[in-house]
């Protein structure tokens, strides 16, 4: 009888810890939404104040679209990794997770290429308030992607993973993908 009670208490503790982690993730995502809501609102106020239409130079749109495709593919590959972990196919899980990580760094390189394209076209970081705000928005998102990359590496290198941890990291990663799609469609389209 006592043994059953201990197992039951462990289950309650695990459920409480999981709930605390989920609540923390939701609060973190809410604060990120508020941050980017403020940044995007500032961008639009500056855009409305512009006299002429905002024209993006060169390959800016195609680079941003390619970055979007890369980030969506990382979310898909992470979903495959999660499914492989659930099915206990750990080799396939490792491969899909590695694909996600490498593609995530591809996104970061794409962001640097986008900034280089803008700078080459005569829109450096300090050209004006609107361009500054674009660099801030994409830079802050890039920092969040780097944090997500850190979490992906943590999951990759950790020897004691569990399904909840993998799922929680996935929630944050998918959130960043959705955030980028919203940013891309509102800023670059």
């Amino acid at each position: 009888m006592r043994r059953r009670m201990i197992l039951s208490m462990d289950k309650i503790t695990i459920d409480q810890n999981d709930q605390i982690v989920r609540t923390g993730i939701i609060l973190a995502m809410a604060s990120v939404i508020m941050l980017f809501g403020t940044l995007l609102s500032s961008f639009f106020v500056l855009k409305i104040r512009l006299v002429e239409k905002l024209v993006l130079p060169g390959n800016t749109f195609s680079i941003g679209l390619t970055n979007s495709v890369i980030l969506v593919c990382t979310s898909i590959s992470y979903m495959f990794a999660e499914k492989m972990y659930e099915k206990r196919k750990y080799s396939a899980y490792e491969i899909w997770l590695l694909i996600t990580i490498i593609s995530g760094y591809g996104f970061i390189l794409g962001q640097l290429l986008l900034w280089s394209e803008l700078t080459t076209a005569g829109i450096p970081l300090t050209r004006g308030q609107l361009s500054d705000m674009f660099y801030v928005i994409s830079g802050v998102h890039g920092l969040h992607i780097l944090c997500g990359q850190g979490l992906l590496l943590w999951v990759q290198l950790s020897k004691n993973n569990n399904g909840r941890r993998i799922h929680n990291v996935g929630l944050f990663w998918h959130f960043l993908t959705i955030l980028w799609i919203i940013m891309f469609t509102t800023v670059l389209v």
Side-chain angles (χ1 to χ4, degrees), residues 114-140:
L114 180 65
W115 289 355
S116 173
E117 181 75 19
L118 288 171
T119 303
T120 302
I123 305 176
L125 179 59
T126 56
R127 179 161 186 247
Q129 291 177 334
L130 191 61
S131 65
D132 290 352
M133 188 55 66
F134 172 78
Y135 281 104
V136 167
I137 291 169
S138 60
V140 169

Side-chain angles (χ1 to χ4, degrees), residues 1-40:
M1 180 76 170
R2 181 165 168 76
R3 194 166 198 188
R4 284 186 187 164
M5 182 62 142
I6 291 172
L7 290 175
S8 159
M9 291 302 290
D10 287 344
K11 174 74 172 133
I12 290 171
T13 303
I14 289 170
D15 288 344
Q16 285 176 340
N17 287 341
D18 190 43
Q19 190 62 34
I20 290 169
V21 168
R22 294 268 167 113
T23 303
I25 290 170
I26 289 169
L27 288 174
M29 286 192 267
S31 67
V32 171
I33 287 170
M34 288 186 281
L35 170 67
F36 280 97
T38 302
L39 292 174
L40 288 173

Side-chain angles (χ1 to χ4, degrees), residues 3-159:
R3 194 166 198 188
R4 284 186 187 164
M5 182 62 142
I6 291 172
L7 290 175
S8 159
M9 291 302 290
D10 287 344
K11 174 74 172 133
I12 290 171
T13 303
I14 289 170
D15 288 344
Q16 285 176 340
N17 287 341
D18 190 43
Q19 190 62 34
I20 290 169
V21 168
R22 294 268 167 113
T23 303
I25 290 170
I26 289 169
L27 288 174
M29 286 192 267
S31 67
V32 171
I33 287 170
M34 288 186 281
L35 170 67
F36 280 97
T38 302
L39 292 174
L40 288 173
S41 297
S42 299
F43 180 83
F44 280 112
V45 166
L46 293 171
K47 189 175 180 181
I48 289 169
R49 290 177 37 193
L50 265 182
V51 176
E52 70 273 356
K53 184 180 179 200
L54 178 66
V55 178
L56 298 171
N59 296 326
T60 307
F61 180 78
S62 60
I63 294 169
L65 184 61
T66 302
N67 278 350
S68 299
V69 169
I70 289 171
L71 211 50
V72 168
C73 287
T74 65
S75 273
I76 292 169
S77 63
Y78 194 85
M79 287 187 321
F80 283 134
E82 211 173 342
K83 290 293 180 200
M84 293 299 110
Y85 188 86
E86 288 171 6
K87 292 179 180 180
R88 298 182 187 271
K89 295 181 178 180
Y90 299 118
S91 295
Y93 156 76
E94 294 284 337
I95 290 169
W96 282 111
L97 188 56
L98 187 61
I99 289 169
T100 304
I101 292 168
I102 291 169
S103 299
Y105 285 118
F107 174 83
I108 295 294
L109 290 175
Q111 281 299 100
L112 294 174
L113 178 63
L114 180 65
W115 289 355
S116 173
E117 181 75 19
L118 288 171
T119 303
T120 302
I123 305 176
L125 179 59
T126 56
R127 179 161 186 247
Q129 291 177 334
L130 191 61
S131 65
D132 290 352
M133 188 55 66
F134 172 78
Y135 281 104
V136 167
I137 291 169
S138 60
V140 169
H141 183 263
L143 288 174
H144 282 85
I145 290 288
L146 287 174
C147 290
Q149 287 290 96
L151 290 172
L152 292 172
L153 286 169
W154 172 58
V155 167
Q156 177 81 17
L157 299 174
S158 183
K159 298 296 181 206

